[in-house]
Amino acid sequence: MTHIKVPKDRVGAIIGPKGRVKQIIEEKSTASLDIDSEEGTVEIIPGDDPVGAMKAEDVINAIARGFNPDKTFTMFDDDMLMLEVIDLSKHTGTQKELLRLKGRIIGKGGKTREITERLIGVKMSVYGKTVSVIGTPEQNQIARTAIEMLIDGANHGSVYSYLEKKRQELLQSQLDYY
């Protein structure tokens, strides 16, 4: 049994319209979810598939970190997909600084986040004091490095060049694999 603390404003997203999201998570994981909206907690009671319960935990954490539930369900179907959460509060002292960092990571009109998602094939969410990424371990490592470059003040052009180079390496390693 696992307990997950969820921001209260994300509990509704985990339940979904008419309980649809909760139902999908339970079906795909064979686990049961006990959601306490007052406390903002989700209890996962494992079903027949212990791995499914672990995946349910990742999916719930992803939704809690601001992902659209529909973007998280792929984690049930692909064993390589993982959630990576980067805590920005470790890099900032003030609310103003946190907002500036989030702005750098998202980019003007969402451009930087969109480029990262498109080139590396990850999904990203910037929510609260965190940036979260869903991808394979290799993709997540590249995205984390790009995010850290932005946190450390690298200019966006350098980050895009890095992502472009890593995209080529990812494509090459996929070709070599097949």
Side-chain angles (χ1 to χ4, degrees):
M1 218 176 320
T2 310
H3 290 281
I4 302 173
K5 190 87 177 108
V6 173
K8 288 190 175 119
D9 66 328
R10 297 301 296 160
V11 171
I14 291 167
I15 296 169
K18 297 188 176 136
R20 185 184 78 83
V21 173
K22 176 181 184 264
Q23 184 185 350
I24 291 171
I25 294 170
E26 288 178 333
E27 283 171 9
K28 288 186 176 271
S29 69
T30 75
S32 302
L33 303 183
D34 184 13
I35 301 173
D36 182 336
S37 341
E38 291 297 306
E39 292 295 314
T41 58
V42 178
E43 186 181 334
I44 302 170
I45 301 120
D48 303 334
D49 177 11
V51 175
M54 287 166 38
K55 287 193 176 283
E57 186 178 345
D58 273 353
V59 167
I60 290 164
N61 278 320
I63 297 169
R65 297 283 19 110
F67 278 100
N68 173 329
D70 292 333
K71 285 186 172 183
T72 66
F73 296 145
T74 53
M75 292 199 298
F76 284 117
D77 306 322
D78 184 342
D79 288 341
M80 291 306 291
L81 291 181
M82 308 174 120
L83 173 69
E84 171 121 9
V85 180
I86 301 163
D87 184 356
L88 296 176
S89 67
K90 292 180 180 144
H91 304 278
T92 61
T94 65
Q95 188 62 30
K96 187 177 174 191
E97 179 71 5
L98 178 68
L99 287 171
R100 192 184 72 74
L101 272 187
K102 285 165 62 172
R104 283 182 56 78
I105 293 164
I106 294 168
K108 191 173 272 169
K111 179 182 174 193
T112 303
R113 176 175 55 197
E114 192 267 320
I115 286 173
T116 306
E117 288 181 335
R118 187 171 42 81
L119 288 179
I120 305 305
V122 295
K123 296 177 185 118
M124 281 175 66
S125 172
V126 180
Y127 176 85
K129 296 176 179 166
T130 62
V131 179
S132 303
V133 182
I134 295 175
T136 64
E138 193 178 10
Q139 290 169 322
N140 287 357
Q141 183 54 54
I142 294 167
R144 172 183 275 282
T145 301
I147 291 163
E148 286 170 354
M149 287 169 73
L150 290 167
I151 289 170
D152 293 340
N155 72 42
H156 283 80
S158 306
V159 175
Y160 299 156
S161 298
Y162 166 77
L163 290 169
E164 207 42 85
K165 185 176 143 240
K166 288 298 179 182
R167 174 187 168 76
Q168 293 306 322
E169 289 173 18
L170 279 175
L171 291 171
Q172 190 56 52
S173 71
Q174 285 169 347
L175 287 173
D176 294 346
Y177 180 78
Y178 295 105

